[in-house]
Amino acid sequence: MRSTKYCLRSTKVTAYAMRLLTLLIFIITSVGHSQTSPKIKSAVDTTYIKIGEQIQWKVTVDVDSTDQVFFPEGQTFSPLETVEAFATDTTRKKDRLTLQKIYALTQFDSGAYKLPAQRIEINGVGYFTDSMLINVETVPVDTVAQKMYDIKPLINVEKSNPDWWKYLLIGFLILAVLGGLFYWFFVRKKPLTEEEKEALLPPYDRALLELKRLENSKYLIQDEYKEYYSELTDIVRSYLEEDAHVSALESTTDQLIEKLELLRDSGELELDTDTIIQFKNILQTADLVKFAKSKPATSVAERDRKLVEQIVVKTHEALPEPTEEDLMQQTEYQEELERKKQKKRLVVGIASLAAILLIGTTIAGFKLGFGYLKDTVLGHPTKELIEGDWISSSYGYPPIVLETPKVLVRQEVKLPPEAKATISDIQAFGYRSAIGLFTIGTTSITLNQEVEPDFGQTIEQIIKQFEAQGAKNIITKQEEFTSLSGVKGLKVYGSGKFKVPESEELVKGKYTVLLFGGKGFQQYIILTWLDDDVYAQEIVDRILTNVEVKTEV
């Protein structure tokens, strides 16, 4: 009985212990889980903005240091627009990380917008932030204090050239290079190289210098006897040819010895017989080395070099003193050499200058256009007009205000008797380029009666005037035109073959006529220019853009 009770008690204790162990495991697991679970917070700096202003949405994530966190990317805040996503700010505390990410958001339409919940991915699991309501208000406009105007028509503006300083810098660099080349090739005295200095030495000094260099060479050490004797005989032969005027380079050994003996016998070269015999032996040894592959002893080769040096010295001493004519010839020779060098420098300098100009012209041509470059260098009448100072002036009455490259000159107009019945006054102004077809003209006509002008009749008269001046094949188009001041008129334009003033030549040209008017008056502007003149076209476009007329007398 006691045993049974003991077993029951033991069973109860075991069951209690198991329940206690399970509880402890659950508590530990819960604590561990609570320590590793991420914490996410999000907030905005304001919920009310004006159109175009920005709000900053900030999300803070507290995670374990080993967790991988991915924040939203791209336009995930629609209908709000993402302006910028700032870099993530990270703070570490023991084994925990606090990550903070800020986004700049905006909206350009008024209203209430819901900032949607954003997905933060941590270790492949998605966590969502809270959504928020953002109110976007309009900017109030004071329509009482500020007047409202119609939208201005499109106008052509002059091309700006913000890169002018680059072209100026390139120009300075090109000038600096040209100046440097001119100094280098023409002004600077070029130092002579060692070879040039040696070439200017007298034949005797040059021969001794070359024999000394042969003595210090490695031919004999490297067993190169053929090269050694070839250079040795070339030195002495060259010396004899230059100083003794003996054709030694192209002569055989026997021929050379024979020439020396003849010079000795004639008294032109005072050499003793032993010297000539020694020289003959050296030349024969050299022939055997060069052609029979003979190899004398090193001491023999060194002795031959010394003997050749003695032969050069004795020959120099045996030569008669140079006459004044010889010295003059030598001076002329040196001057000729110097002239050749100067000529070579000049050719190189001119070639370099031509190459730089060609390269510079090619670069400028591709950058600015070869036609523009040609017109800039050679000049162009209408290009000079458009680049000059423009003048804004009023012409006639009712006034026509034009901005032109040159002031228009008053033209004398005599009314025929039959026109005086309808026309009270005519005021005309004009400008004509001395070259080409470019003309500008304005006319203001006051009528005797307050009647509307007949534009059709005016156009017909202008076309007849063109034809009377020799124009042919005139094409006419027309459309409505509005001046800068808002006055509406008629634009008639086209092309044709026009006669160049003071010439019988017909050229392809263009024309534009602007007509304005009201009761009792009429105004018109006439422009003509060559069809392929791009600068004249720019002038015309600029004039038409700034036309102002007044239609009240």
Side-chain angles (χ1 to χ4, degrees), residues 269-415:
L269 188 63
E270 298 178 0
L271 282 177
D272 57 79
T273 305
D274 292 339
T275 301
I276 295 177
I277 292 173
Q278 288 177 351
F279 186 40
K280 181 177 181 181
N281 292 333
I282 294 172
L283 292 178
Q284 289 175 345
T285 302
D287 291 339
L288 290 174
V289 172
K290 290 189 289 184
F291 303 112
K293 296 183 180 181
S294 175
K295 183 180 178 183
T298 303
S299 59
V300 174
E302 292 176 349
R303 185 198 62 194
D304 288 345
R305 190 204 62 78
K306 292 180 182 178
L307 289 174
V308 166
E309 186 174 346
Q310 293 175 7
I311 291 170
V312 170
V313 173
K314 290 180 180 180
T315 304
H316 179 67
E317 293 174 351
L319 290 172
E321 290 294 327
T323 63
E324 185 177 351
E325 184 179 356
D326 293 335
L327 294 175
M328 184 64 68
Q329 289 179 351
Q330 186 175 4
T331 303
E332 291 177 355
Y333 175 72
Q334 298 296 336
E335 291 177 352
E336 181 65 22
L337 288 178
E338 186 63 27
R339 281 195 295 271
K340 288 182 178 179
K341 291 180 181 178
Q342 289 291 344
K343 184 177 180 181
K344 182 179 179 182
R345 292 177 185 175
L346 179 62
V347 171
V348 173
I350 293 175
S352 301
L353 178 61
I356 292 174
L357 291 176
L358 179 61
I359 294 172
T361 302
T362 304
I363 294 174
F366 280 112
K367 182 70 177 179
L368 305 175
F370 289 98
Y372 180 85
L373 186 63
K374 175 182 70 68
D375 296 335
T376 302
V377 175
L378 302 179
H380 193 283
T382 48
K383 182 177 184 296
E384 295 171 1
L385 286 177
I386 197 171
E387 292 176 349
D389 296 329
W390 282 51
I391 300 167
S392 181
S393 185
S394 176
Y395 302 96
Y397 186 81
I400 300 174
V401 181
L402 291 181
E403 185 181 8
T404 56
K406 296 289 184 180
V407 67
L408 307 187
V409 180
R410 181 182 290 274
Q411 308 292 314
E412 293 295 332
V413 179
K414 291 184 179 181
L415 286 173

Side-chain angles (χ1 to χ4, degrees), residues 10-233:
S10 176
T11 301
K12 290 179 180 181
V13 172
T14 302
Y16 176 75
M18 290 298 294
R19 286 198 298 271
L20 182 60
L21 180 60
T22 302
L23 179 61
L24 288 173
I25 292 173
F26 175 76
I27 293 172
I28 292 172
T29 304
S30 299
V31 172
H33 180 73
S34 65
Q35 289 178 347
T36 58
S37 60
K39 295 180 181 179
I40 300 176
K41 295 180 182 179
S42 63
V44 291
D45 57 347
T46 180
T47 58
Y48 291 90
I49 61 171
K50 293 180 180 179
I51 292 175
E53 289 184 341
Q54 296 180 9
I55 63 171
Q56 289 193 346
W57 181 76
K58 179 171 66 176
V59 57
T60 305
V61 179
D62 183 62
V63 293
D64 189 76
S65 61
T66 60
D67 291 340
Q68 290 186 345
V69 181
F70 295 94
F71 290 99
E73 294 182 0
Q75 298 293 340
T76 62
F77 296 89
S78 183
L80 298 178
E81 296 183 18
T82 304
V83 178
E84 185 177 2
F86 297 95
T88 305
D89 185 17
T90 305
T91 305
R92 187 182 185 96
K93 187 175 182 182
K94 294 182 180 181
D95 60 344
R96 303 291 293 174
L97 291 178
T98 300
L99 306 177
Q100 189 178 84
K101 185 82 170 178
I102 298 177
Y103 296 84
L105 311 174
T106 190
Q107 175 56 248
F108 296 98
D109 289 325
S110 60
Y113 297 93
K114 179 181 179 182
L115 195 159
Q118 298 297 308
R119 185 177 186 272
I120 312 296
E121 185 176 313
I122 304 174
N123 295 331
V125 179
Y127 296 85
F128 290 89
T129 62
D130 296 331
S131 60
M132 302 176 188
L133 187 65
I134 306 298
N135 293 288
V136 182
E137 299 178 353
T138 58
V139 179
V141 179
D142 186 359
T143 58
V144 178
Q146 180 67 37
K147 293 182 179 180
M148 302 298 290
Y149 298 93
D150 292 335
I151 298 175
K152 292 289 185 180
L154 295 175
I155 62 173
N156 294 324
V157 297
E158 292 185 74
K159 294 181 179 179
S160 61
N161 193 5
D163 296 334
W164 62 270
W165 64 271
K166 295 181 180 178
Y167 301 116
L168 185 62
L169 179 61
I170 292 173
F172 278 127
L173 289 176
I174 292 175
L175 289 177
V177 171
L178 293 177
L181 289 173
F182 181 79
Y183 169 77
W184 185 265
F185 290 106
F186 305 110
V187 179
R188 180 185 70 100
K189 189 174 181 180
K190 187 178 179 182
L192 298 176
T193 63
E194 292 299 325
E195 291 78 6
E196 290 175 333
K197 291 179 180 179
E198 185 176 330
L200 293 176
L201 290 174
Y204 173 69
D205 296 332
R206 187 166 66 252
L208 294 180
L209 181 63
E210 291 175 348
L211 288 171
K212 188 66 176 177
R213 188 185 299 120
L214 181 61
E215 181 184 6
N216 298 325
S217 68
K218 297 182 180 180
Y219 288 138
L220 299 180
I221 298 175
Q222 297 174 352
D223 205 21
E224 297 175 349
Y225 285 85
K226 181 178 180 180
E227 289 77 6
Y228 178 85
Y229 273 95
S230 294
E231 189 167 335
L232 179 63
T233 54

Side-chain angles (χ1 to χ4, degrees), residues 397-399 487 517-519 521 523 549-553:
Y397 186 81
V487 177
K519 290 185 177 181
F521 70 94
Q523 306 155 298
V549 295
K550 293 184 179 180
T551 55
E552 295 181 0
V553 270

